[in-house]
Amino acid sequence: MLIDTHAHLYLDVFDDDIDAVIQRARDQGVEQVLLPNIDIGSLEALHQLTARDPAYFKPMLGLHPCSVQADYQSQLEALYKNIDLERHIAIGEIGLDYYWDKTFIEEQKDAFRTQVDWARKHELPIVIHSRDSIDDILDILEELRIEGLRGVFHCFTGTVEQAQRIMDLSFYMGLGGVLTFKNSGLDKIVAQLPIEYFVLETDAPYLTPHPYRGKRNESSYVRLVAEKLADTLGVAVQDIEKVTSENAKKLFRL
Ligand code: NI
């Protein structure tokens, strides 16, 4: 079995064929799909998709760093009102994005700290978006040192040293399509790390794995990531399925 720990299947690019997308995922052995939120505008569609099959889809609550703007405090307030309306399995996706826009870096940091505090209060894991910002996020988490805080660095693309800091926090690393990209170099980093710290993801509809790169991503393609990880670590795909699913269950208490 496989678990896609990060997919935005509630976005409108899936409106026309979501049933077929779900069927293809099931056909590839994907037994659960976890849904990270983006902002207050995406939450209703996320909950609607969850309601189709609450055993299959697991909702998260959070404000994506790319959605942090001048009005972020009212966004956070509006989001937090929803925390107990559904059984959210994580706070996500949250973090810092220095790649797209650096205008609101201080606001991003403040929103991140606020949401980490939600996670602490509600004993939920955090799902971290860390584009060009892994060290700053690690600095914040190491400074906070919140006992028992769990989480994953979604779409991990860091160095071995950064991976070591992540493992020292007992956090996980999410691996997706980037692992399959030729010349990403990520396979050489991952080959040096223990499988006990990895979960699989797609980030659908983004970051589509080879050989479909450039097309819309979907949860069935998480199998391509599992196959590449098996190849990278020199172990059987079945072992990858077993260990990464166990890791996901432990992290998200599925
Ligand atoms: Ni995402």
Side-chain angles (χ1 to χ4, degrees):
M1 75 172 281
L2 291 161
I3 298 176
D4 183 357
T5 61
H6 193 115
H8 304 273
L9 298 188
Y10 53 84
L11 292 177
D12 56 13
V13 290
F14 295 104
D15 280 357
D16 291 340
D17 63 343
I18 185 65
D19 290 320
V21 167
I22 296 167
Q23 191 54 53
R24 284 196 291 273
R26 288 189 188 278
D27 291 346
Q28 290 298 324
V30 179
E31 292 193 3
Q32 270 181 331
V33 177
L34 316 188
L35 305 173
N37 190 43
I38 296 169
D39 54 31
I40 193 71
S42 60
L43 196 61
E44 193 185 337
L46 189 158
H47 286 158
Q48 274 172 6
L49 180 59
T50 304
R52 289 172 68 108
D53 190 343
Y56 197 73
F57 294 108
K58 298 293 176 187
M60 304 182 200
L61 184 81
L63 182 63
H64 192 294
C66 291
S67 292
V68 170
Q69 293 178 352
D71 70 341
Y72 76 102
Q73 276 161 327
S74 60
Q75 279 259 357
L76 288 174
E77 248 173 70
L79 280 167
Y80 192 67
K81 284 186 183 140
N82 289 275
I83 189 131
D84 290 323
L85 296 184
E86 299 267 340
R87 205 193 143 260
H88 295 104
I89 55 149
I91 300 298
E93 56 184 290
I94 65 175
L96 305 174
D97 189 307
Y98 295 170
Y99 178 80
W100 289 109
D101 189 357
K102 288 190 171 175
T103 315
F104 294 106
I105 282 186
E106 287 316 309
E107 290 82 355
Q108 286 188 31
K109 285 183 179 169
D110 191 46
F112 180 67
R113 285 171 181 275
T114 298
Q115 294 179 94
V116 168
D117 200 52
W118 297 355
R120 180 192 59 78
K121 263 193 285 199
H122 294 264
E123 294 180 14
L124 292 171
I126 56 175
V127 172
I128 301 167
H129 172 108
S130 58
R131 191 132 189 220
D132 293 352
S133 61
I134 295 188
D135 286 323
D136 277 12
I137 290 176
L138 284 164
D139 287 347
I140 293 173
L141 293 175
E142 287 167 359
E143 174 214 313
L144 292 172
R145 282 261 159 224
I146 297 171
E147 174 124 3
L149 185 68
R150 298 167 285 141
V152 56
F153 281 73
H154 134 69
C155 190
F156 172 76
T157 52
T159 63
V160 172
E161 291 72 28
Q162 288 164 333
Q164 190 56 57
R165 290 174 72 188
I166 291 170
M167 293 186 291
D168 287 345
L169 289 166
S170 298
F171 273 45
Y172 291 82
M173 289 164 275
L175 297 176
V178 177
L179 184 65
T180 72
F181 295 173
K182 290 193 176 98
N183 307 321
S184 78
L186 184 57
D187 53 345
K188 289 175 189 67
I189 307 278
V190 164
Q192 302 174 57
L193 301 171
I195 189 176
E196 284 69 28
Y197 288 90
F198 294 130
V199 294
L200 303 180
E201 62 174 53
T202 58
D203 202 19
Y206 316 108
L207 295 172
T208 313
H210 176 80
Y212 303 114
R213 196 174 174 183
K215 303 206 173 76
R216 185 189 71 176
N217 200 0
E218 60 173 62
S219 288
S220 66
Y221 296 163
V222 77
R223 177 158 294 283
L224 297 169
V225 181
E227 285 167 357
K228 176 67 184 184
L229 183 58
D231 198 42
T232 302
L233 297 180
V235 301
V237 183
Q238 290 83 343
D239 294 336
I240 298 293
E241 294 189 37
K242 185 170 176 284
V243 178
T244 58
S245 296
E246 280 169 7
N247 293 347
K249 285 179 184 173
K250 206 160 124 192
L251 169 60
F252 293 103
R253 308 230 162 115
L254 298 172

